[in-house]
Amino acid sequence: MNIDLSGKTALVTGSTAGIGHAIARGLAASGATVVVNGRTQGKVDSAVAAITKAVPGAKVRGVAADVSTAEGCKALLAALPSVDILINNAGIFEPKGFFDIPDEDWSRFYEVNVMSGVRLSRAYMPGMLKRNWGRIVFISSESALNIPKEMIHYGMTKTAQLAVARGLAEMTRGNRGDGQFGVARADDVGGRRDLRQGSGQAERPVGRGGGRPLRQAAPPDVAGRALCQCRGDRQHGGLCQLKGSLRHQRCCIAR
């Protein structure tokens, strides 16, 4: 069963490539008006063109803004004041030994992976609450629970995403109580097996391309289908609608 998101506007950060691009394409196929986001106008334009070609009749446009900074988030909000669905996908990772990670790397990873979602959620969630409908999804990782020793700073940010998403979900209980804000636990790193085998991969933006590709635990399309499709059976309770619960995401990805 596909979700009908006609009339809804969805923003997917870091969606010019990878998981973010797959999710944007899936949302467009579900009828949503999709806003692609990336750091450069060229990559944004290319991603918009690719989705338009892949999904006939798709309603898609792009906004170039670096959501890793407060200024970039402000620019994005100025271009897109309101959304119904926010997919916090933008992020970076980098294999580096714990003793070699300086303070500035911890701060940089936190700004990109956590604060981008915090700032956008803080801006868009009030409108969702006022309209009594909304979805906020953080694309986290297995690294949030099984912290990789080669990327402890990355794992820390993924755990923080779970905490933010859980807190936002708690804030909605008095409003609708339908779990409309949650976390999608898709493995946006991939390639941990490759990293352990000695890949010297430099910092690589997740979902935005760059660097030598690493093998992922699952193709990007799997995460897109997990968010945009549902069997609608009793196990799911027909509640796919981007609830993003951990149980639901495991079930969809495994089917």
Side-chain angles (χ1 to χ4, degrees):
M1 180 181 74
N2 291 329
I3 301 173
D4 182 6
L5 296 173
S6 300
K8 305 298 184 183
T9 298
L11 166 64
V12 186
T13 64
S15 50
T16 59
I19 285 178
H21 187 72
I23 291 174
R25 187 171 64 247
L27 291 172
S30 298
T33 297
V34 175
V35 180
V36 171
N37 162 252
R39 292 177 295 177
T40 65
Q41 192 65 52
K43 289 185 177 181
V44 168
D45 291 342
S46 295
V48 169
I51 294 174
T52 301
K53 181 179 180 180
V55 183
K59 300 175 182 178
V60 56
R61 67 186 182 95
V63 177
D66 185 355
V67 297
S68 68
T69 67
E71 293 74 17
C73 287
K74 288 179 181 178
L76 177 55
L77 290 167
L80 186 67
S82 176
V83 299
D84 301 294
I85 300 165
L86 169 62
I87 310 296
N88 290 309
N89 170 75
I92 57 174
F93 76 92
E94 174 189 35
K96 183 178 287 188
F98 176 75
F99 301 114
D100 298 321
I101 305 173
D103 286 1
E104 50 267 32
D105 279 6
W106 287 92
S107 299
R108 177 166 49 88
F109 268 65
Y110 196 79
E111 284 290 320
V112 178
N113 295 1
V114 182
M115 289 307 299
S116 60
V118 168
R119 292 181 179 116
L120 294 177
S121 299
R122 186 173 58 207
Y124 287 126
M125 186 172 171
M128 296 178 183
L129 293 173
K130 184 177 181 179
R131 293 188 298 273
N132 211 31
W133 199 97
R135 302 294 186 266
I136 295 178
V137 179
F138 287 77
I139 303 301
S140 187
S141 167
E142 66 171 296
S143 297
L145 303 178
N146 299 310
I147 307 297
K149 65 180 180 181
E150 68 274 11
M151 301 190 291
I152 294 177
H153 54 337
Y154 172 81
M156 174 273 297
T157 65
K158 295 289 116 174
T159 305
Q161 284 185 323
L162 299 187
V164 174
R166 183 65 262 165
L168 296 184
E170 292 292 333
M171 289 174 61
T172 69
R173 289 188 172 183
N175 185 45
R176 288 189 54 163
D178 65 354
Q180 59 188 15
F181 299 96
V183 55
R185 185 171 167 237
D187 188 357
D188 57 4
V189 181
R192 282 183 55 192
R193 184 166 39 189
D194 288 350
L195 293 175
R196 292 199 179 99
Q197 290 176 351
S199 169
Q201 172 72 17
E203 178 189 309
R204 169 175 173 260
V206 173
R208 297 182 295 197
R212 183 173 62 83
L214 298 178
R215 183 167 63 249
Q216 291 182 305
D221 283 347
V222 172
R225 290 196 298 271
L227 286 174
C228 304
Q229 294 183 0
C230 175
R231 290 178 299 180
D233 58 16
R234 187 169 298 179
Q235 183 178 11
H236 278 47
L239 296 176
C240 187
Q241 296 296 312
L242 296 182
K243 283 182 66 174
S245 69
L246 296 180
R247 177 181 178 185
H248 171 71
Q249 292 301 327
R250 291 196 196 100
C251 185
C252 270
I253 290 175
R255 68 190 170 96

